[in-house]
Amino acid sequence: MKGTMPIPTSIPVPPRAPATGGAAADTARPGTGHLVEAVATWARTKAGTPAVTAADGAITYDELADRAAAIAERLRAEGVGPGTAVALLTGRSRLSTPSLLAVWWLGATAVLADERHPADRINLVLRDAGARIVLAGHVPAGAVPAKTTLIDPGGLELSLPASTFTPAVPRPQDCAYIVYTSGTTGWPKGVEVSYANLDTFLTALGTLDFPSGGTGVNAVSPSFDGWLWCTMLYLTYGQTMAIVDLAARDAIGLAEMIEVHEPRVLCLTPTLLSALERVPAAEAIVVAGEPCPPSLVARLADVPRVLNVYGPTEGTIAATCADSRRGDDLTTIGRPLPGYRLRVLNEHRSPVAHGTEGELYICGPAVALGYRNRPELTEERFVPDHIAADGSRMYRTGDLARFRRDGQYEFRGRADDQVKVRGYRVELGEIERIALSVTGVRAAAAFTSATGDTLGLGVTLEPGAEPHELTERLRHRCAMLLPDFMVPAIVTVVAVLPSLPTGKVDRGALARTGGPAAGGQAPSTDRERQVCAAWAELLKRPVEDVTASFFELGGHSLLAARAVGALRRSTGLPLSVHHLLLDPTAASLAREMDQLATQAVTAAPVAAEHA
């Protein structure tokens, strides 16, 4: 890695806005003061620079505060204030950022949600959070509970400048936002993060000394706190946040979707970065959301600066980072961010010796409030910090770690069945409980695929159950209740679930035996063989059935973008992800490619006549 200069300890937040009264000058508010200052400063110094770009347009920095104020005024008219839960279903729109700021300017609680998740899941999240107001242009049928007020942030007039808006001042312990993560009960659990927690994070973010200006890419789900990381990082440093929709109908190759923005800073999960055919020419790359493998660290060796960031949602987005600029080992999770404390404890919650493995606990003012409406689980995971003995709490991460003598922490895996899939936390028990609710399923065990980026499900059946019909019902049930990254790509029917000597399910054995049944229709044309070969290379397995679904073979949205990109490069045809999604079989995609090739040949003479 280039350079070993330590990170400056001063906070490079922009100069304070002059005190003119109103949102732009409010710098003493708990939680979002740093962010409010930054937006006000960039609105003055970068007025015409886009703050956010997305498929539906752009918002400049001078428009951002005014738009946020207009949304906040509308929310205030509905009685929104500290303690009010407001759901954000603005999706991957340019309006997502001013909507978030508006909720925070009122000291209210932002409930993060993704409009692409199943309607039943969104409905449950909104009911559990108590969100009676939803900011959204449109919502899926059945996603919003009855007696909920829908407000379209794009339909509001910008009647007054932000400088005339007087924001509310929340208490430090008021809830700033709720992120729902996978839960062992079969339903997601909401993590409540306070304004005091948020203040700790934003203060730490200001010490990371990223460059000002340029573009940063946000390619994650808006229900994920990685979305907040990107939003607050880019706004703090006056960058343009380019929202990249990996599932866009006209999506091309994954690398091309990112490179078109010429990012100065890039924040991606290791799965996304590993999926790129080439490393983008960014000044800084942030890797976060899941363990960073040594192979990826090696690929990033020529990047001027790389940060490997670690932190569960319960620790307010990020707790540690390994930074190549100060010479950290990027295969570790580095050192605590300012304001954060970590401890490695044994089963009796006593400190272990340096170099000894134990469970990682997060301590200090960034420890979240707990889980929404889950007091027993909160008490179990958020425990008194008996070492500090100051009335504070620690969060039990469930992660195993080792503290090295050089001051860096090594991530050593999990102490339970929680896994990470493409950067998202997944409790395997949530998938298993949904499977067991399907009539005809006797036992179920979820597992990660051999590649680690998709999930599988092994089931045993009750007598008389028909395997094919039941697996189809299982897929449908999971798709109705789970976000796409949690829907099993592979469903395997077995006579008995394999077990370890301990009696626990051998999930590794299921992963080795899982897969679609043999048979199907072999490729019969050169084009079908070309598609099957491209898929086989990405899926790391033979593809011999042109009628098999790309996703049932183990594919997912990121691999779909890579598959399309590879075929575009090898054929020169203008393929998009939409072509694959129309009918995700090799036979169908081969037909689409043949039609595109025919259109290209037909169009060539016409183009020559007009040359």
Side-chain angles (χ1 to χ4, degrees):
M1 288 296 170
K2 299 180 181 179
T4 57
M5 187 192 322
I7 293 178
T9 55
S10 60
I11 301 174
V13 295
R16 289 185 175 238
T20 58
D26 181 23
T27 61
R29 328 176 53 237
T32 57
H34 294 303
L35 199 60
V36 171
E37 278 188 32
V39 170
T41 299
W42 304 134
R44 296 194 317 273
T45 61
K46 299 172 176 282
T49 301
V52 184
T53 64
D56 62 345
I59 291 181
T60 60
Y61 268 103
D62 55 336
E63 296 170 334
L64 179 60
D66 290 344
R67 176 69 65 181
I71 299 170
E73 284 286 12
R74 178 69 175 83
L75 290 173
R76 179 174 277 169
E78 293 290 335
V80 172
T84 308
V86 179
L88 302 181
L89 274 170
T90 43
R92 295 149 183 84
S93 162
R94 75 191 193 284
L95 299 173
S96 58
T97 301
S99 295
L100 175 66
L101 294 178
V103 174
W104 283 347
W105 282 7
L106 294 172
T109 302
V111 181
L112 304 191
D114 189 333
E115 84 286 0
R116 292 179 182 168
H117 285 178
D120 285 351
R121 190 180 185 88
I122 297 172
N123 191 293
L124 179 137
V125 163
L126 268 55
R127 285 187 285 112
D128 185 69
R132 61 181 183 84
I133 308 285
V134 175
L135 289 172
H138 65 277
V139 294
V144 176
K147 299 181 180 179
T148 299
T149 300
L150 289 175
I151 298 175
D152 180 0
L156 304 178
E157 293 185 7
L158 305 183
S159 56
L160 296 172
S163 59
T164 66
F165 177 80
T166 303
V169 179
R171 296 171 301 175
Q173 288 305 107
D174 283 342
C175 183
Y177 66 86
I178 305 175
V179 172
Y180 278 80
T181 67
S182 179
T184 57
T185 62
W187 292 106
K189 58 183 182 293
V191 182
E192 298 179 313
V193 177
S194 73
Y195 279 93
N197 299 150
L198 189 56
D199 185 69
T200 301
F201 170 74
L202 283 166
T203 301
L205 192 67
T207 70
L208 295 182
D209 192 30
F210 280 92
S212 172
T215 298
V217 167
N218 185 351
V220 300
S221 165
S223 67
F224 179 38
D225 56 3
W227 180 277
L228 294 179
W229 164 275
C230 291
T231 300
M232 289 188 277
L233 173 67
Y234 301 145
L235 290 183
T236 295
Y237 290 94
Q239 298 174 357
T240 298
M241 180 170 72
I243 297 175
V244 174
D245 186 355
L246 300 178
R249 289 171 60 88
D250 58 350
I252 51 177
L254 182 59
E256 291 87 346
M257 293 171 66
I258 291 172
E259 289 171 344
V260 70
H261 296 287
E262 299 180 350
R264 193 173 187 187
V265 176
L266 184 61
C267 303
L268 293 174
T269 63
T271 296
L272 268 172
L273 272 171
S274 299
L276 298 178
E277 296 85 358
R278 52 193 173 273
V279 176
E283 290 182 31
I285 291 181
V286 178
V287 184
E290 57 190 342
C292 184
S295 59
L296 180 57
V297 172
R299 285 190 66 198
L300 301 177
D302 293 328
V303 178
R305 186 184 183 193
V306 179
L307 294 89
N308 181 13
V309 174
Y310 162 87
T313 302
E314 291 86 346
T316 312
I317 302 175
T320 73
C321 81
D323 189 344
S324 67
R325 199 172 68 176
R326 66 183 176 200
D328 289 342
D329 179 354
L330 292 175
T331 64
T332 73
I333 58 174
R335 312 166 196 273
L337 295 174
Y340 290 72
R341 297 195 306 272
L342 269 64
R343 294 198 179 97
V344 181
L345 308 179
N346 62 20
E347 65 272 21
H348 305 296
R349 296 183 191 161
S350 299
V352 301
H354 285 187
T356 303
E357 184 176 287
E359 184 174 358
L360 189 64
Y361 287 68
I362 296 176
C363 315
V367 174
L369 297 172
Y371 299 112
R372 190 79 154 187
N373 304 321
R374 302 282 291 278
E376 295 85 3
L377 184 60
T378 297
E379 186 177 355
E380 175 187 333
R381 305 303 299 185
F382 295 84
V383 299
D385 187 345
H386 60 286
I387 297 174
D390 57 2
S392 62
R393 299 173 306 149
M394 307 183 291
Y395 170 64
R396 296 182 55 192
T397 67
D399 291 332
L400 300 176
R402 184 171 75 91
F403 182 61
R404 306 194 327 187
R405 293 191 179 277
D406 62 3
Q408 299 182 78
Y409 288 82
E410 286 183 2
F411 176 80
R412 309 279 288 182
R414 287 290 300 177
D416 55 23
D417 290 333
Q418 186 185 104
V419 298
K420 281 287 189 81
V421 175
R422 310 203 293 275
Y424 299 98
R425 278 165 52 175
V426 175
E427 297 282 1
L428 296 178
E430 181 173 356
I431 301 168
E432 293 164 357
R433 282 171 174 77
I434 289 174
L436 290 170
S437 71
V438 176
T439 302
V441 175
R442 171 173 287 180
F447 57 90
T448 53
S449 66
T451 58
D453 54 4
T454 57
L455 294 168
L457 182 66
V459 296
T460 64
L461 307 185
E462 296 287 357
E466 200 283 312
H468 177 74
E469 184 269 340
L470 188 56
T471 55
E472 289 302 308
R473 283 197 287 121
L474 272 169
R475 293 182 193 278
H476 177 73
R477 180 70 173 167
C478 288
M480 289 291 293
L481 297 176
L482 297 170
D484 61 351
F485 64 88
M486 289 183 66
V487 176
I490 298 168
V491 178
T492 303
V493 176
V494 294
V496 61
L497 294 177
S499 62
L500 297 166
T502 60
K504 294 183 177 181
V505 173
D506 188 345
R507 301 180 192 276
L510 281 172
R512 290 188 294 272
T513 60
Q521 179 180 324
S524 59
T525 67
D526 289 342
R527 189 73 76 186
E528 288 181 348
R529 284 186 281 272
Q530 184 179 37
V531 173
C532 287
W535 288 10
E537 184 175 354
L538 289 172
L539 297 172
K540 308 301 182 188
R541 51 157 297 155
V543 178
E544 299 168 344
D545 179 8
V546 296
T547 65
S549 166
F550 177 79
F551 300 101
E552 292 180 9
L553 290 168
H556 51 76
S557 58
L558 304 184
L559 285 180
R562 286 187 64 189
V564 167
L567 290 168
R568 281 172 65 95
R569 287 189 298 275
S570 64
T571 64
L573 297 174
L575 270 181
S576 73
V577 172
H578 179 59
H579 289 116
L580 190 152
L581 297 179
L582 282 172
D583 182 356
T585 65
S588 176
L589 190 58
R591 287 193 298 271
E592 290 285 347
M593 293 172 67
D594 284 338
Q595 290 177 11
L596 290 172
T598 300
Q599 292 169 7
V601 171
T602 303
V606 176
E609 289 177 9
H610 291 82

